[in-house]
Amino acid sequence: MFAKWLLDIGEGNVGGNNDGEATIEIPEDLLIKDSSDPISDLIEFVYPSVLDNFNDLNFFHEREILAPKNNVFQEINERMFSIFPGDEREYLSSDCICPTEMVNENLDESLCSPDILNGIKASCFPNHRLVLKVGVPVMLLRNVDQKSGLCNGTRLKVVSLGNRIIQVKIISGSHIGDRHYIPIITLVPTDKKLHIKLQR
C-alpha cells in the first residue's frame, strides 16, 4: 500500500493538477498519531521485536527505513544502534582538498582546516564519522563492485570490523549470503553547492 502510494505521488496521480506544488493528504493508516516518541514507534513498527529476530537475515531483507534528509536519518540511525547489543566501533574519515584544487589561486586557506572539512555534509556522501556494530544492517551508498552485487542501495549485515576494512554479508538482491570485504575508499562529492572539491 505504501509503495503504491509513493509511486502515485511520483507519477502525479495524487494531489490533483499542480504547477510543481500540491497539497497531498497522507492516508490515515500511514500516520503515527498521538505519539510522544514517533521515531521509536516507527522503529518498532518496521522492526518489531528486533532483538528476537537479530540473526534472521530475512527479517532485515524485508524491512528498511528511508529518510528524506540526512539529519532525520542520523537520528533514526542512532536510535537503532542503541537497540543493538555489542560495542560500537568508530571510523573517522581523513579529509583534504583535492590536489587539483590546491593550484587554485582563489582558494581560501581558511576552508582547508580539518575542522571545516570534517564538518562538511553533502547529499549521497558519507559523514566524517561512521559508527558501526557487528550484526547491524547497513546500506551501501555507492557502487563498489556491481558484478559481486555491491551496488548503491544493496543492504548488508556487518560481520566483522577491522582497523581498515569491514566484512559484510549481502542480505538483499541476487547475491544474498555472499560475504565481502569493504576497504577504505576515497570519495569526492559531486554536490554542486560545495565551493571546494573535498576528498574524503
Side-chain angles (χ1 to χ4, degrees):
M1 164 100 179
F2 179 67
K4 182 185 180 317
W5 181 69
L6 281 182
L7 285 172
D8 285 342
I9 290 174
E11 294 293 324
N13 298 330
V14 176
N17 293 331
N18 65 76
D19 58 355
E21 289 188 24
T23 301
I24 297 171
E25 188 172 331
I26 300 173
E28 291 287 318
D29 60 331
L30 298 180
L31 293 173
I32 297 174
K33 292 183 172 182
D34 303 321
S35 172
S36 60
D37 189 357
I39 289 182
S40 290
D41 290 344
L42 175 64
I43 290 169
E44 178 57 33
F45 176 77
V46 176
Y47 297 104
S49 306
V50 68
L51 294 180
D52 295 335
N53 297 289
F54 188 71
N55 292 313
D56 180 3
L57 290 184
N58 289 329
F59 181 76
F60 294 110
H61 172 73
E62 299 168 351
R63 296 168 169 82
E64 64 188 73
I65 297 175
L66 301 176
K69 295 187 176 180
N70 285 343
N71 62 336
V72 175
F73 158 77
Q74 195 64 40
E75 188 172 350
I76 293 170
N77 201 38
E78 287 171 7
R79 295 280 190 95
M80 283 292 295
F81 267 67
S82 69
I83 294 170
F84 282 91
D87 296 329
E88 294 181 351
R89 180 89 187 249
E90 179 182 63
Y91 295 90
L92 301 176
S93 67
S94 174
D95 300 337
C96 65
I97 301 292
C98 283
T100 55
E101 286 284 292
M102 296 310 281
V103 296
N104 184 350
E105 293 174 3
N106 299 323
L107 182 64
D108 183 351
E109 291 295 323
S110 66
L111 296 176
C112 299
S113 76
D115 289 341
I116 297 291
L117 298 178
N118 294 346
I120 292 176
K121 295 181 180 177
S123 60
C124 296
F125 195 62
N127 291 339
H128 164 64
R129 180 176 180 264
L130 174 67
V131 179
L132 295 172
K133 286 183 180 181
V134 170
V136 298
V138 295
M139 183 181 288
L140 280 179
L141 298 178
R142 288 278 189 275
N143 291 331
V144 176
D145 182 353
Q146 291 176 314
K147 261 187 174 175
S148 300
L150 296 174
C151 309
N152 181 14
T154 300
R155 283 178 283 159
L156 313 161
K157 186 173 181 179
V158 176
V159 175
S160 66
L161 299 168
N163 291 332
R164 299 177 183 271
I165 199 165
I166 64 171
Q167 185 184 23
V168 294
K169 183 190 291 187
I170 296 178
I171 60 173
S172 70
S174 58
H175 294 267
I176 293 175
D178 290 1
R179 290 182 182 225
H180 295 279
Y181 291 97
I182 299 180
I184 295 171
I185 300 171
T186 300
L187 298 171
V188 176
T190 56
D191 193 333
K192 303 291 185 204
K193 295 175 188 170
L194 293 176
H195 300 294
I196 56 174
K197 218 169 188 184
L198 170 69
Q199 182 173 292
R200 176 164 288 169

